[in-house]
Structure formats: C-alpha cells, structure tokens
Amino acid sequence: MYNRYIPPPKPAGGAAAPASSQPVSQAPAQPARIVFGDDDFVANTQSKTVADEPVQQVEEPKSKSKKSKKQRDTDDAEEPRRKKTKTDDNDDEQQQQKDEAQPETTTTDTSPINKEPKKPKREKKKKESVLEKPADLDDDHIRQRHRSVFEKVEKALKLKELQGDGKEDTPEPEEPVYDLGPLPQPAPVVVDSSKLTYETLPPWLANPIRVTAETRKPFTELGISAEAAKILATKGFKDAFAVQTAALPLLLPNPDLQGDVVVAAPTGSGKTLAYVLPMVQDIALSQTTKLRGVIVLPTRDLVQQVQQACEACAAAFAGSSGGKRVKVGTAMGNRPFKEEQGVIMGTEQKYDPKGYQKWLERQKQLVDLDGDSEQEEEELDLQLKRPLPYHVIQHVPKVDILICTPGRLVEHITKTKGFTLDYVRWLVVDEADKLLAQDFQQWLDVANEKLAISKPGARDFAANNKTGPRKVILSATMTRDITLLNGLKLSRPKLVVLEGAKAGDLAIPATLKEYAIKITEPSLKPLYLVDLLQSKYMVPINGEDVAAGSESSSSSSDSSSDSSSDSDSDSDSDSEAEPTTRKAKSVSKPTTSKAKAAAFPTTALIFTASNQSALRLSRLLSLLLPPSFAPLIGTLTSSTKTSVRLRTLRAFSSGKLRILVASDLVSRGIDLSNLDHVINYDLPLSETSYVHRVGRTARAGREGKAWTLVEFAEARRFWREFVGEGQGAVCNVKRAEGRTVERVRVTEGMDEEGEKKKNGGFGEERVKELEKALEVLRVEATKRW
C-alpha cells in the first residue's frame, strides 16, 4: 500500500479549547506528518484528539531515490490530490470494519495548549459516503461494467442446460467407420512424344547424315570412273570406307542443289580421300592452270601426307575422261619465301601495247632512294627479264591445288604479287578444331575476304550446278561451338557422322585395344619401357611383314620434287636436330630385313611430352636396349628439319626403322599404315590429345594396340577422365561396346621377390645400368652445350 497523509480530526461542535492558566506563545499549529501501514490504520471517526500533546513527527523511511527536502515536501503536498482508485476504496472498507469492531476510546488532552480543531474537508465526507455504500450497490456496479461477459456466461449455461435435457431423448451418434483402403491415385501423365518445333542447334548440326562404320562400297558405284578406280586399286584404295560412301555423293557432280560439307569422323576413317577424290576429278576437267583448290592444314607433316594423296589421285584422273594432270604445290615454310614464291607463281609474256608503254615510262623515271615502296621493290626484283616489244610480263599461278599452313597462306595473299583466290572453287580445312581455335594470324578472316570477291564465271564448275567456293570442313574431334562454325560462313551445309556418334565426340576406333601399365617407381620408368619393348606383347598384329608391306607404299609416292631439295634451306633447323640427323644417317647402313625382324618384329610409336624428352628418351633406349635395336630407333620433333622428318617417315614406312620416338607433332593426321603399337610414355594433357595419339594405329579397318604408362600421381586423372572408371568419373571418350582399358604388368617373374619390393621389380644390376646410361647422357649433353 501507498503511504497516505490523513489530517487530524477536529473537535466536535467546533468549540474552542479551554485557555491555559499559563501564558503560552500563540504559534500557528502545524499538521503532524503521520506514516502508517495497513495494520496501524486509525479510524477517522473519533470526535476528539489530544490537542495539548506536543506535535510529534515520525521520520519517513529513506527513499531509494535521493531527493531534496523541498522536493519531498512537494510530493507530500501533492499526494492527496491524486485520483482515488478502486484499491483505495477496498482499503477504506477494510479499515472501517476494523473500527466498528474496536470499542471507542476517549483520549484526554494533557497538553497545556488547546487548539480549536479544523472542520473536516468535503473530500472526506465524500470518501465516507463511498465507504458507507452497501455491498449490493458494489455488485451492481461490477455487473454493469462486465455486462457483456455475464451475458455470454448466461447464454453458455442455458445452452448447456438445453443440451443436457435433450440427451435422454436423442440417442448418441454411432462412431463412423472409416475405409482404410488405398488412397485414390491420379491418372498417369501421358508423355508427349511429339518433337519440339524449335531447336537450339542449326538444323544441319542437329540432324546429321549418319552412316554405319561397317559400310563399304566400290568406287564405281559412287560415281568414280572405272579407269580411275583401277588406278586407285593399284595405289591401295580398293573400296570406299564408310565416311567416303556418305561424303562422295555430296561432293561429286549431281543435279541436286549442292552445298558445303562438314565431316566428323574418328582418325583413320578415310577423311582425306573423301575430299581429295572429288576435288581432283573436278579440277582435272579444266584446261588452263589456275589456283582452284586450297587445302589448309595445321602442321607440315600433314601437308606432306596430303600431298601424297593428291598426287596419287591426280595420276588416277590424268588419263581418264580426257582430263589433264592436276598440278599440286605446297607452302609450309620449309624453304625461303622467295623460293616458295617461284614454285607457286610464274611469269609469261602477254601482248599489251599500252601496258608496254607504261613500263617504258616507269623505267625512265629515277628510283626514289628515300622511298620504300613495296611496288618498286617488286618491280626491281621481278622485272629483271626485259619483256618483248609491246608485251608485258604477267604473273600466273603454276599449281592447281595449293596445300599450305594457315600462316604461309596469309603471307602469300599479302606479299606474293599475282597470288589471288579469285578462281578458287574448293576450300578444305582439315583438323578444323585446331585451326579454328587458334586462328593463326586471323587467316580465316583474310581468306573469307578474298573469297567474297566474285568474277563472272570465275568459279563456275565444269560439270556441276554449283557456283562459288565450296567448303569442306573435317576433323576427328569436330567442335560444336556455333561461334567458331559461323566464322566459316558455310552455305547450305550438311554434316556427316558415323552411326552412334555425334559431332564433338571423341571416338576410339573399334579395332583398337587399350592397355595400362602401372608405374610403381617413377625414377625407373625407362626400365618399364624397355621391358615392354622386349615383352611378349610386342608382336606383329596384322600378320604381315613390315618391310614387305610398306616398301610398295613408299615406292608409289612420286611427289618428292617439292621436299627433296630443301635439306639445306630449312628455316627452322636447330642444334637439337643433330642427334636425329646422325640417327637417320645410321639407318642407311646395310642391314638385312631378317636381322631386324629378329630384333624387333613389329613397329611402335612412342609419344613424349616435349621435344627434349623425345631426344633424351631416344638416346636412352639405344643405351639400355641390346645393340641390335640401335639402328631401328628414330626420332621426330618439331625442331627437326623438314627434310630429316621426311626421310625418317620414309624409313619407318619402308621398315628400316621400327621404333619411332616423337612428340605431339605427329599426333594429328599422320598416316603410318604399318604401325601396330602406340605407347604413351608421358600421359597426354587432354582427352583430345589422347584420342589423336592412339588414333595413329588401327586405321582404315586395321587392328592396333595402345599402351599407356601410368604413374601413381597420374592414375586418378587417367582412370576418371580418359577411361571413365572410379567415383566421380567424367569421360568424353567414346569406345565401342565391350571395349575398355586392360591392366597389364610387364615386370612379373623377372627378379626375386625381395628385389621387386626394393627396386620396383628390377634387380640391382639393371638399376646400375640405368644410372650409367643417365651419366653418359649427362656427359653428352654437357659436351654439346
């Protein structure tokens, strides 16, 4: 309860107090401050108070909050003015009941001073009147304030009584019986099998022309003349392969409206012959020599290989149907640029009196020594021969088909006088995924700009309704990037793929078997390779003599005129090619084919990660293998001279070389018909590189084997990305059904158990031999530098 201040009661009747006998100073009476609790409450109905008692002040307990005396007095004065609450009424009633229960007592005033009591205040009377209200009025007041609550209670009680009265008359409802059967299921959704009306890919890319890999047809059924087919059979091309059966009808003359062709097929499927045959047959019908076909390839070795195919087809069509012999030229940077210009372009005298007069005027003018005009340089260089009277010297092409690398093509377009693409009817881009991704010197933009120039009748086909340049795009790993394909500016294209594959797939030939060899000790990796080359697995696969089967193919190539005279003029010769040159010279030593077959009866191509690794491994094998293997080992790198590369490939094709150590230079497009085994000494960097490497064997329906040496640190990536085995495997390499990579161990049974655990399966003597060979290699490298 709050402490309240109650003034003292006044005397009844308002009579004055009796005067004291002793004079007392008349000081104004001060009301006493009384602090009380509920238990000490004194009834305010007493009629008399002791007036003469000295005024006593009861100390108020200290408040928690520190206040000044003036502030406390102000609070006490304002305390009675607050509004009465319901709690105060209840307290007053309790106090009134206590006062009625106690007897009235009269106190005598012993104080000498009697003061006249003050009249009670009106508020007190009001308070007393409130306290004196009967209890019934209080209940009515409560009911009036909470009328809505009481009404709800009454309604609820009445409703309960009504429900209780009806229980006897109405029976209790029975509990419902629920059916616990299966819930009804929605009707099955009917899958809409109709095709969408839109495609994210172009129609030619989404709906390709598919052909099974086993398809074979004679060339005569595809539109090739019988005479040409006989000559092709003597070159080794008897029947057309699957890709050729689908591409030749699209490229050979026919009454249908024709367009460009895109071929996506695995390595060794016959893509080169698919475009060489129709192109040579069409150009052979032309009587004059004009540059009508351009074949763009990424490497020089591919240029030389395609040149051989073009020469073979040119010989086949030279005598048939009265056609001429198609002239084939190459431009790949293996000779000085001016010499290459002389091979591609020539000069002739043309009657032109006006042009002759202009030439005479230019000769009379003094040469501007300060100027550096390219036109003047060309005139001084090319006008060494004086023209005939009233004639001018005109530059004309000397080849019908130009096989080139992209960088060299751009140089001839921009720097060779008279070189033009105005008459080009065929543009072939082989290994398109690499050429489009790297875009050497923006060659495609330069070529498209020149091909856009059209002259009336310049690109009309002799026996075809096609006008304008025809483009043939080929790759074993064709890209599906629309942005790159749009850069080719194809016209009505059609896509040819093998059955079960699609553009962009990395397909392994169905006749290829793959093996993996675990390398437990990386420092002894050369010994694993030596054991593999001497193991029972290195046997001929196709069951024919390597030397006998390849000498005929090498003797048929008569296209060495452009590459045999470049041994002294190669622009990319390097000191690293010296070991390879010495190796090639050693091949010329007379050695019988029987002795070679006894030493190594089959052929193997070993891939390394770099040029330096190939040179080092080639020398290391000649030291570790028996002496009879040394003349059978050759090397191919990008730093090797072009002439040496050509001689090395010819020696390998003829059987003089049996083991070829190479970098990724020969991983694309190189056709080694007698190759049985491919060995990945170093793991390739990507799936695409792996497919191109192992695709050097098992070509054109032949069988082959691929071996990969896998170290412990490379095993996880190899099995997941290249094979598709293991948790989280993501592999894009497509293999034939039932084909996988088998695990093989080539060091079993060679040494005792203790030595195997200690040296990875090799004895102490073999480890020491490897250390000696490495020391010899180090000394030779030191002397060379």
Side-chain angles (χ1 to χ4, degrees), residues 154-207:
E154 291 177 357
K155 289 182 180 180
L157 293 175
K158 290 180 180 180
L159 182 62
K160 187 175 182 180
E161 292 177 358
L162 294 176
Q163 291 178 353
D165 297 341
K167 282 183 180 179
E168 299 177 358
D169 300 336
T170 58
E172 296 182 358
E174 297 180 358
E175 295 184 359
V177 179
Y178 299 100
D179 186 9
L180 300 180
L183 296 176
Q185 301 295 326
V189 179
V190 179
V191 179
D192 187 7
S193 59
S194 61
K195 294 184 179 180
L196 299 176
T197 57
Y198 64 91
E199 287 283 352
T200 57
L201 296 174
W204 67 271
L205 195 58
N207 303 309

Side-chain angles (χ1 to χ4, degrees), residues 597-666:
F600 193 72
T602 184
T603 54
L605 176 61
I606 305 172
F607 282 105
T608 59
S610 62
N611 295 342
Q612 192 66 27
S613 299
L615 295 171
R616 185 168 54 249
L617 182 62
S618 177
R619 178 58 178 158
L620 199 59
L621 288 177
S622 64
L623 295 174
L624 294 175
L625 287 169
S628 58
F629 279 79
L632 304 179
I633 302 173
T635 310
L636 276 180
T637 64
S638 60
S639 60
T640 308
K641 289 183 179 181
T642 306
S643 58
V644 177
R645 291 188 211 168
L646 183 59
R647 289 198 299 266
T648 304
L649 290 174
R650 287 178 178 175
F652 187 82
S653 299
S654 62
K656 295 179 181 179
L657 293 179
R658 299 296 182 92
I659 300 173
L660 199 59
V661 184
S663 61
D664 281 333
L665 168 73
V666 296

Side-chain angles (χ1 to χ4, degrees), residues 578-590 644 647-648:
E578 294 178 2
T580 309
T581 306
R582 293 196 297 268
K583 199 73 62 181
K585 291 180 180 179
S586 64
V587 172
S588 61
K589 295 181 180 181
V644 177
R647 289 198 299 266
T648 304

Side-chain angles (χ1 to χ4, degrees), residues 285-457:
L285 299 177
S286 303
Q287 299 301 324
T288 59
T289 299
K290 298 285 185 181
L291 182 59
R292 303 185 187 277
V294 176
I295 304 175
V296 186
L297 299 165
T299 63
R300 300 175 184 177
D301 300 276
L302 276 177
V303 170
Q304 295 174 350
Q305 178 177 304
V306 174
Q307 181 190 12
Q308 295 177 6
C310 290
E311 293 288 353
C313 293
F317 288 102
S320 63
S321 303
K324 69 169 187 176
R325 176 66 181 258
V326 177
K327 299 178 181 179
V328 182
T330 60
M332 50 183 173
N334 62 326
R335 58 173 66 90
F337 186 68
K338 290 183 180 180
E339 183 181 345
E340 199 170 71
Q341 286 177 324
V343 173
I344 298 173
M345 302 298 297
T347 58
E348 66 179 8
Q349 301 283 345
K350 180 181 179 181
Y351 180 75
D352 187 1
K354 293 183 179 180
Y356 180 72
Q357 293 296 330
K358 292 180 180 179
W359 180 82
L360 291 177
E361 292 177 0
R362 287 197 299 268
Q363 295 299 320
K364 293 178 182 180
Q365 294 177 359
L366 295 175
V367 179
D368 186 6
L369 298 178
D370 297 332
D372 55 350
S373 174
E374 294 182 0
Q375 181 178 0
E376 293 179 357
E377 292 180 0
E378 293 175 356
E379 290 176 356
L380 291 175
D381 183 46
L382 300 177
Q383 299 286 355
L384 298 177
K385 185 178 180 181
R386 183 179 180 87
L388 296 174
Y390 306 106
H391 287 72
V392 295
I393 296 177
Q394 187 178 10
H395 301 278
V396 294
K398 297 172 63 175
V399 295
D400 296 298
I401 298 176
L402 178 64
I403 310 171
C404 58
T405 55
R408 212 58 166 177
L409 176 63
V410 174
E411 292 182 10
H412 284 293
I413 291 176
T414 56
K415 297 180 181 180
T416 301
K417 191 173 183 179
F419 185 87
T420 179
L421 303 181
D422 293 345
Y423 294 90
V424 172
R425 296 202 298 250
W426 295 85
L427 175 63
V428 179
V429 182
D430 205 347
E431 302 294 339
D433 58 332
K434 184 176 182 179
L435 292 176
L436 295 178
Q438 298 182 2
D439 195 11
F440 302 90
Q441 301 180 18
Q442 298 181 351
W443 71 272
L444 188 58
D445 296 336
V446 176
N448 283 331
E449 182 181 356
K450 297 299 180 181
L451 292 173
I453 301 174
S454 61
K455 292 182 178 181

